[in-house]
Amino acid sequence: MELVGLAEGIAALVRDGDTVALEGFTHLIPVAAAHEIIRQGRRDLTLVRMTPDIVYDQMIGAGCARKLVFAWGGNPGVGSLHRLRDAVEHGWPHPLEIEEHSHAGMANRYVAGASGLPFGVLRGYRGTDLVKHTATLAAVRCPFTGEELTAVAALNPDVAVIHAQRADRRGNVQLWGITGVQKEAVLSARRSLITVEEVVESLAPQPGAVVLPSWVVSMVAVCPRGAWPSYAQGYYDRDNAFYREWDAISRSRSRFTEWLGTL
Amino acid sequence: MVVAAARALTGRTSCFVGIGLPSTAANLARRLHAPELVLVYESGAIGAKPSRLPLSIGDGELAETADAVVSVPEVFNYWLQPGRIEVGFLSAAQLDRYGNLNTTVIGGDYRRPEVRLPGAGGAPEIAAACREVILIVRQNPRTFVQTIDFVTSVGYGSGPGERQRLGLRGRGPVRVITDLGVLEPDPVTCELALTQVHPGVEVDDVKKATGWPLSVGELTETAPPTPAELAVLRELEGGTR
């Protein structure tokens, strides 16, 4: 693990054409890191996320993405992602390839990737039209019972980016509250960058915390309020007003482009 | 509609909740007639007891008030998949006579649709694995259609026996609550039939709002919302900032 500045970390770990997973299930979304990726002008990324929300809307509108791998793309509690829709419906700023799963499928893809397995297995997708369009899922027969189940291909992103509450000086990382799929994302990825609210001398135990030991983390960058407008439990609340404001900003290409200029 | 949905949770033990109307209804039920109802949010909050309506499924309020907070793989694999959760609450942009749901695309080609919707999220597995499913959908000819443009989540598929063939272990949709009334599946054909209308709604209004020839079962009328139900609902809705 290396303690770096945010710009340095993104420059070192995220390359054009990479498969990148910025995870966070409503909580602890690595927004500051995403903005740095936009500022550094990364292109042709395959963006992976269970719930692409406004931060992927921003990256897609900014032209960073060639492909989106996801399960649910909306502005949570507010409505549509207008930049995502514009890319899929009209190819602006350029066409966006999509690979679509369910939440359970995506979660099991990360688990398989983190476990060093080629696929995960679940009861899911049967009877849905996702079966016809998504190449990374297939029917599989249980060798013990003969039952037909669904296999989903493992996810092994080139780089995972997450935000956590804190790290210690040795680079052990601690996050708590709703921890989503972040542990699996980091363990499934070849490289990882974790932004944290603060670095502390030592990590005091927290109920329900996930700890990622320093030796599974490539780089840590200190980034206070790095999850805004999402939230970091114990540090700051979700800025619901910005999620609503984003609806208006993202509706038109011109208003969005103006916003992009201020980043 | 929200009050009718909240009433449908009477006597239930656990409910898998999405954001929007399902969350409002489930929280209303917990305040009124189902105080022990366990709310499970797909963000991993199990037994959440929010004091105000969460804007998103990952609100801190949910984690802070939950009995347990688990990871997302765990909530789907250990809690939903084995059929541990009694009721799943879902909504959709389109629904057909067998309660199949579309939340993916409308019109055009899948890769270049006229309208790109958010997608599946947790819905396909909620529809498959919860012991029962309750749907909350506003009823009009655009939402209640002859053929949905994309099957995101399966209700009764193409009819009787399909869920068993597909290995879907929950019962499927047992009730569709709309702004006009309530539909329930016919026990033999699995086709949704109108069984309840809200006060002031005529059967003809419901038929006009349905994109297939709607059958009508034995009909009752929804009791109007009580002052207590309305008061709690207003308090809940007023609390979200």
Side-chain angles (χ1 to χ4, degrees):
Chain A
M1 192 289 306
E2 220 181 314
L3 190 61
V4 295
L6 178 59
E8 189 190 343
I10 295 294
L13 295 179
V14 183
R15 298 154 199 168
D16 284 352
D18 272 356
T19 297
V20 185
L22 292 96
E23 274 297 349
F25 208 85
T26 309
H27 179 213
L28 293 174
I29 295 169
V31 179
H35 288 175
E36 185 57 31
I37 292 173
I38 295 176
R39 278 193 293 269
Q40 292 193 15
R42 287 292 173 281
R43 288 293 177 270
D44 295 321
L45 300 177
T46 293
L47 292 178
V48 182
R49 189 157 166 215
M50 294 188 61
T51 53
D53 68 351
I54 67 177
V55 80
Y56 272 24
D57 209 34
Q58 294 165 356
M59 294 177 81
I60 289 164
C64 303
R66 179 185 68 78
K67 180 175 176 181
L68 177 67
V69 180
F70 76 113
W72 190 88
N75 182 345
V78 179
S80 287
L81 291 181
H82 301 292
R83 294 300 94 222
L84 166 61
R85 282 187 58 179
D86 203 11
V88 174
E89 294 167 13
H90 310 111
W92 193 92
H94 47 70
L96 183 70
E97 191 186 331
I98 57 169
E99 178 180 321
E100 193 167 0
H101 278 268
S102 67
H103 276 160
M106 285 293 283
N108 280 291
R109 297 186 71 192
Y110 278 121
V111 170
S115 308
L117 290 169
F119 67 88
V121 65
L122 72 153
R123 296 180 186 283
Y125 298 99
R126 298 200 62 202
T128 74
D129 283 343
L130 288 168
V131 174
K132 300 176 194 161
H133 297 285
T134 303
T136 44
L137 65 88
V140 66
R141 199 165 286 286
C142 169
F144 306 108
T145 63
E147 196 179 351
E148 197 169 294
L149 302 163
T150 299
V152 286
L155 272 170
N156 290 106
D158 294 307
V159 52
V161 181
I162 68 164
H163 186 75
Q165 276 98 342
R166 61 197 183 189
D168 67 16
R169 296 208 179 278
R170 289 175 301 157
N172 300 302
V173 171
Q174 190 186 41
L175 56 151
W176 64 89
I178 288 170
T179 54
V181 75
Q182 284 96 308
K183 177 163 124 185
E184 290 76 10
V186 168
L187 294 179
S188 69
R190 293 175 184 88
R191 308 185 289 276
S192 58
L193 172 68
I194 304 186
T195 57
V196 294
E197 289 296 322
E198 60 175 342
V199 170
V200 294
E201 209 50 55
S202 64
L203 298 174
Q206 275 286 336
V210 166
V211 173
L212 289 163
S214 65
W215 53 276
V216 297
V217 177
S218 311
M219 292 181 175
V220 171
V222 179
C223 214
R225 295 188 68 77
W228 180 91
S230 82
Y231 70 106
Q233 192 156 327
Y235 289 77
Y236 47 92
D237 288 335
R238 194 171 187 263
D239 183 355
N240 286 336
F242 187 81
Y243 280 83
R244 294 196 175 104
E245 208 183 313
W246 183 253
D247 191 67
I249 296 170
S250 60
R251 247 172 221 280
S252 77
R253 293 174 187 173
S254 62
R255 181 95 194 269
F256 167 76
T257 307
E258 203 177 295
W259 172 86
L260 196 57
T262 66
L263 198 64
Chain B
M1 176 158 71
V2 175
V3 169
R7 288 175 185 164
L9 291 170
T10 307
R12 309 300 194 142
T13 54
S14 55
C15 179
F16 206 100
V17 193
I19 283 300
L21 286 173
S23 178
T24 309
N27 278 290
L28 183 59
R30 222 180 52 77
R31 299 288 178 93
L32 288 167
H33 48 264
E36 299 299 317
L37 181 70
V38 174
L39 307 186
V40 181
Y41 285 82
E42 60 187 324
S43 54
I46 297 175
K49 295 168 270 295
S51 61
R52 57 179 167 81
L53 281 182
L55 183 71
S56 95
I57 53 166
D59 262 22
E61 175 83 4
L62 297 175
E64 283 159 21
T65 61
D67 298 328
V69 181
V70 301
S71 73
V72 168
E74 182 176 328
V75 83
F76 284 103
N77 287 349
Y78 297 177
W79 297 88
L80 178 63
Q81 185 165 256
R84 252 180 255 286
I85 299 171
E86 189 178 0
V87 180
F89 244 149
L90 292 172
S91 191
Q94 283 184 335
L95 151 160
D96 68 16
R97 69 178 73 198
Y98 292 117
N100 302 303
L101 307 178
N102 174 16
T103 55
T104 304
V105 288
I106 291 179
D109 175 67
Y110 168 69
R111 305 254 160 223
R112 217 24 156 15
E114 277 163 38
V115 180
R116 176 64 230 195
L117 302 167
E125 285 78 23
I126 294 170
C130 282
R131 298 208 288 277
E132 295 184 352
V133 173
I134 297 174
L135 307 174
I136 310 179
V137 187
R138 282 184 205 283
Q139 190 162 5
N140 60 62
R142 287 191 319 280
T143 53
F144 280 61
V145 297
Q146 183 79 28
T147 311
I148 58 179
D149 293 353
F150 192 97
V151 180
T152 313
S153 304
V154 180
Y156 295 101
S158 56
E162 179 96 2
R163 288 187 70 87
Q164 289 74 6
R165 270 197 299 283
L166 293 168
L168 311 179
R169 304 201 296 183
R171 265 180 72 191
V174 295
R175 185 172 272 251
V176 183
I177 295 160
T178 84
D179 47 340
L180 302 177
V182 175
L183 291 78
E184 290 174 88
D186 180 277
V188 177
T189 65
C190 297
E191 185 175 321
L192 295 171
L194 184 68
T195 56
Q196 194 176 318
V197 285
H198 297 331
V201 176
E202 300 294 331
V203 171
D204 258 2
D205 302 337
V206 190
K207 285 187 167 172
K208 276 188 206 128
T210 308
W212 67 83
L214 179 67
S215 36
V216 180
E218 213 164 299
L219 213 54
T220 59
E221 191 180 287
T222 315
T226 65
E229 286 169 331
L230 287 177
V232 175
L233 179 59
R234 295 216 172 99
E235 191 193 313
L236 271 175
E237 287 180 333
T240 309
R241 284 170 297 273

